[in-house]
Amino acid sequence: MKCNLSRIHSNNLFFSFFFPENTSLVLNSWKHELKNVYRTRGTLEVLDKIRTNSVVMIIGNSGSGKTTAMRYASLQLQEEGYEIVRISSPRDILSLRCVDRKQLFIIDDVFDKYRVDTIALNMWKRLQDCISVVFKHSGAKLLFTLRRQLYQTISHISSSTFLESKVVDLDSKDLALSGDEKLGMLELYLNNRNLSNSISMDEKVEICTCEIAFPLLCNIFSSSQDFFQQKANFFVSPSVVFREELDRLEKENKKVYCVLVLLMIFSYNELE
């Protein structure tokens, strides 16, 4: 068979995740969400790199727009004839690769969000030689995201570039949001919700001085009347974002959460 389905897992979760109709529903929801996306230099760089390379890694801090860039590029390649294949592990690539199709495999937060999942990392390393062969074929591509701090951790562990991937750093000096990009993005969010005339240009300029998770904050800010009433103050101290992030961290990675609590209670020297 051209499609190697012999390794496909039999559990319902796997079947549900990869079932074509489910993928189609997900992609349609992305199209709806991104129909008015603001295309930054970073977004366009991701698209350019995945068009001209087989494996591309998008890195950036939390809320920098990694997932949006990945989804935007995926939808553009779908229009160019690629089948979009969502995966959760490297084994899925070997199971779902069809040599007679143009396929883009995508995975968000490839090694987890808060600390490097060593089990996942080791699995990718073990299968790296097999996977590399897949992406030597011009019809196969891989696009994935990774938080910047985890990328730095992995870089200390290994000197080689993961799967020889091209890295697009959305928070790099060349791609970090410019003032004009921030203002354009803010205006887009406000216009989509008919709020642009409810805030002065001076307030918009002040908002654009924010350096933390700007794309995420714009979305939250324009989606809630309570946050919108705070105007620029919301961007100065976006406590809701930190609170939600801490709540997710407590549920998803209790070990890292406990370390963070200890660092808040004790000094680094005391812990040593």
Side-chain angles (χ1 to χ4, degrees), residues 7-111:
R7 301 186 189 184
I8 291 185
H9 305 200
S10 60
N11 64 73
N12 292 331
L13 178 61
F14 182 94
F15 183 77
S16 175
F17 187 81
F18 296 104
F19 199 56
E21 282 76 4
N22 288 344
T23 296
S24 178
L25 288 173
V26 170
L27 294 178
N28 285 335
S29 71
W30 292 358
K31 289 177 183 177
H32 177 72
E33 292 171 7
L34 301 178
K35 62 181 179 180
N36 292 316
V37 66
Y38 187 85
R39 294 180 295 177
T40 66
R41 287 169 299 141
T43 305
L44 296 176
E45 179 72 6
V46 170
L47 179 58
D48 177 66
K49 283 292 185 287
I50 196 59
R51 278 174 170 162
T52 55
N53 296 276
S54 297
V55 182
V56 175
M57 177 194 305
I58 310 170
I59 67 172
N61 296 316
S62 177
S64 61
K66 300 183 298 299
T67 299
T68 296
M70 183 189 73
R71 292 177 178 179
Y72 174 78
S74 299
L75 292 174
Q76 293 302 306
L77 261 65
Q78 185 189 38
E79 292 184 3
E80 296 169 17
Y82 278 84
E83 175 189 7
I84 308 304
V85 185
R86 297 180 301 141
I87 62 172
S88 59
S89 83
R91 289 197 181 102
D92 303 333
I93 296 171
L94 303 176
S95 299
L96 297 169
R97 174 63 184 137
C98 297
V99 296
D100 60 344
R101 299 180 191 172
K102 292 165 63 176
Q103 291 176 300
L104 172 65
F105 296 90
I106 59 173
I107 181 169
D108 210 3
D109 293 313
V110 61
F111 301 129

Side-chain angles (χ1 to χ4, degrees), residues 105-157:
F105 296 90
I106 59 173
I107 181 169
D108 210 3
D109 293 313
V110 61
F111 301 129
D112 211 345
K113 291 183 177 182
Y114 302 107
R115 68 173 182 144
V116 176
D117 183 338
T118 54
I119 295 176
L121 177 61
N122 290 332
M123 183 185 298
W124 281 92
K125 283 185 174 181
R126 285 198 306 272
L127 296 175
Q128 180 159 324
D129 289 342
C130 296
I131 296 171
S132 296
V133 172
V134 171
F135 295 109
K136 291 186 185 300
H137 188 278
S138 60
K141 294 179 181 289
L142 172 64
L143 180 61
F144 60 98
T145 69
L146 183 65
R147 289 193 176 187
R148 205 171 193 232
Q149 63 268 31
L150 299 193
Y151 172 76
Q152 292 169 342
T153 299
I154 293 171
S155 298
H156 289 307
I157 297 173

